[in-house]
Structure formats: C-alpha cells, structure tokens
DNA sequence: TGTACATCAGTGAACGCGCGTTCACTGATGTAC
DNA sequence: TGTACATCAGTGAACGCGCGTTCACTGATGTAC
C-alpha cells in the first residue's frame, strides 16, 4: 500500500511538483473507486505527510476539481483524436465510440465529470468540458448534413440529443455491466444514427 | 434538526415499525443530498439511539438497499400510472415524461437507483427495477408498432435504446440544471420519437 | 574559500470530533400462577 | 385480584479508529558577506 522506500523530497525550487503528484495520487484513488476520498488517504497515496497537502491545496474539493478538469481535457483530447476519418458519418461514429470508450475505460473519472456540483464556482471553473464535447458533436453533425448524409436541420439541437443519449448509454454500461444489449456496438450505432438523423445510403437489412 | 419532543417508543409487538421509520429517515437524508450516509446520522434523523438500528438492519448498506428497492417500486408505479392514454404514441410519451419527471423530482433517489453496485447480492436483490421499467417500454413500443405508429421491427431493442437515452437525459438534467436545451420537453419528445421509430402522421413544421 | 543566515520543502505530534460497534442496563408491558 | 417474572423495545456509556487541522520543528540547500 505505502511505498517501500520513503519518498524523496523535491529539490529546492521544485516544490510545485508535489502539486502534480497529489493530483495524480487522487486520480489513482478515484480510479480504484474509493468511496471516501479523504485528505489523509490522498497524502498516503502520494507518500507524503497529511499537512503537506495544505501547501498546495485548500482542501479535498480543490484537489477533486483539479482532477475533474484534467479528466475533461483527457476526454476532449480523446474525442479530437478520434475525429480523423474522411467520411463524416464514420467520423461522427468514431467520436461517439471514443466518448463511450472513455467512460468504459475510466468509469469513476467519467462519473466525476457528471457528479453533482456543489458550488457555482466549481461549476463555472470546470464546467466547460460539456460544451467543448458538445461543440465537437455539433461540427460533426454539421459535416454530415453538409454532405447530405444527415437530414438534420438543426445540428445543435441534434448534437444535444446525441450527447444526452450517449451519456445515458455510457452510465448504463457502467451500472449494468451484465446487460449485453447495452454493451453492444450495434446499440450505440443505432442510437447515434437516429439522433443525428443519419440518412443511410443503403438501408440496413 | 432533532425532534423537540423525544420519540415515543413503539408498543409491545409493534417493534417492527421502527424498521419502517429508519428507512423513511434514510430516504429523507438521501433526498437532502447528504454526502456521507452514516448509521449515526440515520439514527438521529429517526429520533433513536444509534445501537437501536442493529435490531433491524445489519449495517447502512442494508438500509440503503431497502430504500433503493422502495424507490424502484415508486418509479415503476409512477410509470404504470402514466400509462393510461388511449393513443399509443401519447402513452409512450407520457411514460417517458413520467420517467424523467421522477428523476427531476427526486434526483438523489434516482442517482441511488443507478449507483455503482458493490456486491452481486445487492445487484440481484434490487436490480429488477431496470428490467421492470424496460418491460413497460417494450409493451408501449409494441403497441405503437401494432397501431402502425412506429416502424419498429424489434420493440425490445428499441426500448433499450429509449431507456438508455431518457436515462441520459434525466441525469444530464440533474447535473446541468442551467442548460435549457436539455430541460426542454421538445428535446425529450424528439429523442423518444426517434429511438422508438415513431412515424409522424403529419410531419412537424 | 569560509561561514553565518535565510529559505524551502516538507514532518511529527497533538487536538477535538464523529464514526461503528459492544455491552450491560432500563423501564414499560404482558403473562403465569 | 395480586404478584412475581419474562419479554420487548429500546438506551447510555464506553472503546478504539480515522479524520481535518494546528503548530512548532527539521534538515537540506542556496546566498550574502
């Protein structure tokens, strides 16, 4: 549990590095699904004494917010990297697959993104991940419509619908891992196609 | 916080009533969004000494499971009661509205329904709410298809899709209360119509 | 080149608190004789 | 009708624990002279 050899303290002038180590330690605890994220548990995981946290963060919520922001960045990066295919429908599909895959790979990080937000400051501080993800979807659906592959007359509205639906599928996959229908790629495909009003070139079946 | 006059103990033979009072107290705490649901907090809310809980429940998880089961029953009842309209599309829409409305009225109860399940026993003990809700959707979509109002060739698959999507909309509404697009009835209507493959008699607009 | 001092990056002990859990108990109410 | 006893529905005190937070401290490393 605790590291065998004691942590080597950062060199003079490198004190800020502990800040990153604290955030990474917290992310590990979140990934492990710990129920109670405490300051002392974070300090233990980072290999540091409890009070050392205070030089870098005011409290656990501040650390959690930092992790949340990182996770949003990760997710957005993942969506951008998936957005490479030339065919607009393939691209939309890849973006949505990447979205769901992130939630599947890191269910606790994903849950953190959409956890109840206590204060308005937290909301405005880290709440931009949703709109950024949404923007990628809007662009993608706009591309499908421009290519005549979607009958969407309002890509923004349809992107919101796609977002809500793949969010639902992602969280259901986490809470019902035994429900094969929900885990199926086919289900994801159908949901996205319908909400994005994709016009199939050749109807399936 | 604590009741003014001390709780009157149950009459002889009525000891089991405290069990219900404990569950109700826990539900109040959950509705209030308390972060840490502790045995002592539940006892305080129920107006009872901490150890008194042990006569009725082994631990907090057992109480939470009981609350979870009740909430599933509530939700299913609410869906059934909404399922009255003669027109099958109106009926499906009413069921989905009731679903989302439950999550809106009791966001913390709804979150409890879909929270991570620790043990398989808990899952099988209270996990039947999902399938029951799903069954109502399957029947409703089947009704739409039979009336020629849905082009669904597989009501079960489409019901799963509808379920995942309205689940996503419900949780997004809770975590993004300021996002008006998500709160809109129009968005809910569009999502359900598309996933249930509803054939509009007269195209909108 | 020495040396005194300042600063940096943390540590260890201590505090008061709420927690889960145990244990012997209490007082009201029913029941056997 | 009395009375001793059993049972029921809890209670209060106590325990050991982990928590957040404070405070004075430590020891390594840079810097001024």
């Amino acid at each position: 549990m605790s590291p065998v050899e004691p942590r080597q303290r950062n060199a003079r002038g490198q004190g800020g590095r502990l800040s990153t180590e604290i955030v990474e330690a917290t992310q590990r605890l979140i990934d492990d699904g710990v129920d109670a994220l405490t300051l002392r548990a974070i300090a233990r995981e980072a290999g540091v004494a409890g009070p050392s946290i205070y030089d870098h963060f005011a409290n656990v919520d501040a650390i959690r917010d930092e992790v949340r922001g990182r996770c949003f960045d990760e997710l957005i990066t993942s969506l951008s990297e998936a957005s490479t295919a030339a065919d607009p429908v393939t691209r939309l599909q890849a973006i949505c697959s990447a979205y769901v895959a992130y939630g599947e790979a890191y269910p606790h990080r994903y849950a953190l993104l959409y956890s109840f937000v206590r204060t308005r400051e937290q909301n405005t501080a880290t709440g931009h991940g949703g709109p950024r993800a949404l923007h990628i979807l809007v662009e993608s659906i706009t591309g499908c419509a421009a290519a005549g592959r979607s009958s969407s007359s309002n890509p923004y509205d349809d992107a919101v619908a796609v977002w809500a639906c793949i969010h639902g599928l992602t969280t259901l996959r986490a809470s019902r891992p035994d429900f094969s229908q929900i885990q199926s790629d086919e289900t994801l495909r159908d949901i996205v196609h319908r909400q994005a009003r994709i016009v199939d070139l050749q109807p399936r079946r």
Side-chain angles (χ1 to χ4, degrees), chain A:
Chain A
M1 182 66 55
S2 57
V4 177
E5 54 192 80
R7 179 176 173 280
Q8 190 173 344
R9 81 168 51 189
N10 286 309
R12 229 180 135 88
Q14 300 298 312
R17 292 168 67 138
L18 179 52
S19 175
T20 304
E21 292 174 41
I22 290 167
V23 170
E24 288 169 351
T26 305
Q27 193 156 299
R28 286 195 297 276
L29 292 178
I30 288 171
D31 282 340
D32 288 352
V34 300
D35 40 342
L37 198 60
T38 67
L39 188 140
R40 283 175 114 122
I42 292 169
R44 273 194 305 272
E45 179 68 27
V48 111
S52 306
I53 304 277
Y54 291 110
D55 290 338
H56 303 274
F57 296 97
N59 51 46
V60 174
D61 277 350
I63 306 173
R64 205 201 321 257
D65 281 355
E66 189 64 35
V67 175
R68 191 207 284 256
R70 279 177 158 237
C71 292
F72 263 125
D73 290 344
E74 271 178 6
L75 174 59
I76 300 298
T77 300
S78 169
L79 298 187
S80 298
E81 288 174 359
S83 183
T84 57
D87 179 69
V89 174
T90 306
R91 191 159 68 239
L92 172 62
Q93 206 61 45
I95 292 167
C96 293
S97 289
Y99 187 97
V100 175
Y102 181 85
E104 205 153 11
Y106 308 108
H108 294 99
R109 293 187 202 181
Y110 187 83
L112 176 66
L113 295 183
Y114 290 95
S115 59
F116 284 96
V117 171
R118 277 162 223 282
T119 70
R120 183 146 289 279
E121 297 79 55
Q122 287 178 23
N123 204 350
T124 53
T126 65
H128 296 307
R132 278 154 67 203
L134 185 56
H135 181 68
I136 293 175
L137 286 175
V138 173
E139 287 209 319
S140 181
I141 294 176
T142 301
C144 291
R149 303 291 303 284
S150 163
S151 63
S152 174
S153 60
N154 191 336
Y156 180 80
D157 283 7
D158 292 334
V160 169
V162 168
W163 179 38
C165 293
I166 63 178
H167 167 67
L169 191 64
T170 303
T171 56
L172 268 196
R173 281 191 178 191
S175 66
R176 311 270 164 194
D178 50 330
F179 200 148
S180 65
Q181 189 77 17
I182 290 169
Q183 310 295 328
S184 130
D185 288 343
E186 194 85 349
T187 299
L188 170 60
R189 192 197 105 100
D190 286 352
I191 286 175
V192 172
H193 274 225
R194 290 173 194 170
Q195 292 307 331
R197 309 177 82 85
I198 299 302
V199 184
D200 271 320
L201 294 180
Q202 45 203 23
R204 300 170 51 221
R205 232 156 302 166

